[in-house]
């Protein structure tokens, strides 16, 4: 397999580096998912608690979907029209699974979000780290639904190749 240097842009390279970090995170998650190491993840019956099962499942699905996108970015030679469904649908779905992965993991601590006496007034790290991607994905879907090429002014602030 040859690396597709012609199509590997800064955006694609950043996505592939990000996928590498997610892949390392996945391997570490499988390694430490042991009752001897993370006992509080498990119920007395030996099964994972519901939050951790949902988190592991959505993390695995997210990693799989983003793995397909990363491989296609590195080794794909198809035309854009063939690649568009992969990037337009599989990538955001994989990201949503990643966001749900983080939300499920930290759902227990979200009841103390605005309690100033808890963690010196700082919000839950899973809340803070999942809201930015969730909002970006939500805006992405809203703009896709309502259209991004609508003109709201006659002034041009920035010429972009997608709309000019």
């Amino acid at each position: 397999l040859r690396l597709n240097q012609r199509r590997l842009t800064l955006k694609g390279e950043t996505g592939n580096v990000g996928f590498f970090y997610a892949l390392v995170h996945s391997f570490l998650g499988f390694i430490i998912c042991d009752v001897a190491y993370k006992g509080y993840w498990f119920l007395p019956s030996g099964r994972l608690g519901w939050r951790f099962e949902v988190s592991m499942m959505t993390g695995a699905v997210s990693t799989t979907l983003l793995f397909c996108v990363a491989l296609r970015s590195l080794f794909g030679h198809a035309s854009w029209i063939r690649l568009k469904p992969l990037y337009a649908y599989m990538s955001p779905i994989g990201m949503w699974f990643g966001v749900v992965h983080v939300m499920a993991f930290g759902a227990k601590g979200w009841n103390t979000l605005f309690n100033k006496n808890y963690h010196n007034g700082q919000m839950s790290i899973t809340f803070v780290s999942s809201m930015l991607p969730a909002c970006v994905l939500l805006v992405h879907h809203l703009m896709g639904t309502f259209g991004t090429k609508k003109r709201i002014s006659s002034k041009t602030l920035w010429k972009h190749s997608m709309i000019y």
Side-chain angles (χ1 to χ4, degrees):
L1 296 173
R2 242 182 49 197
L3 182 64
N4 188 359
Q5 295 173 354
R6 195 168 36 102
R7 291 204 182 259
L8 192 59
T9 61
L10 182 60
K11 180 180 173 185
E13 185 176 335
T14 304
N16 286 318
V17 169
F19 170 74
F20 175 75
Y21 287 135
L23 189 64
V24 169
H25 172 80
S26 296
F27 282 125
L28 289 174
F30 283 122
I31 290 170
I32 67 169
C33 188
D34 184 13
V35 70
Y37 187 71
K38 291 286 188 181
Y40 72 94
W41 287 11
F42 294 86
L43 300 174
S45 65
R47 287 187 56 110
L48 279 171
W50 73 269
R51 291 184 304 125
F52 302 108
E53 282 193 13
V54 170
S55 183
M56 293 292 274
M57 186 268 308
T58 55
V61 171
S62 174
T63 303
T64 303
L65 292 173
L66 296 177
F67 181 66
C68 295
V69 174
L71 281 180
R72 192 63 177 167
S73 295
L74 288 174
F75 303 112
H77 294 287
S79 66
W80 173 247
I81 199 70
R82 289 185 182 174
L83 292 176
K84 187 176 179 181
L86 182 76
Y87 294 116
Y89 301 111
M90 191 178 282
S91 200
I93 291 170
M95 292 302 295
W96 272 118
F97 272 105
V99 169
V100 172
H101 162 74
V102 174
M103 288 178 170
F105 190 82
K108 181 181 177 186
W110 285 26
N111 61 345
T112 59
L113 281 179
F114 303 107
N115 184 354
K116 293 181 181 178
N117 298 323
Y118 188 75
H119 284 284
N120 296 324
Q122 296 179 3
M123 290 191 261
S124 165
I125 187 66
T126 58
F127 177 80
V128 173
S129 63
S130 62
M131 284 303 108
L132 176 65
C135 290
V136 168
L137 286 167
L138 184 63
V139 168
H140 169 75
H141 294 307
L142 288 174
M143 290 179 81
T145 301
F146 297 113
T148 59
K149 297 182 180 181
K150 293 183 179 177
R151 301 276 182 233
I152 57 173
S153 173
S154 61
K155 291 184 180 181
T156 302
L157 296 177
W158 179 38
K159 287 191 175 184
H160 192 275
S161 62
M162 294 296 286
I163 58 174
Y164 285 99

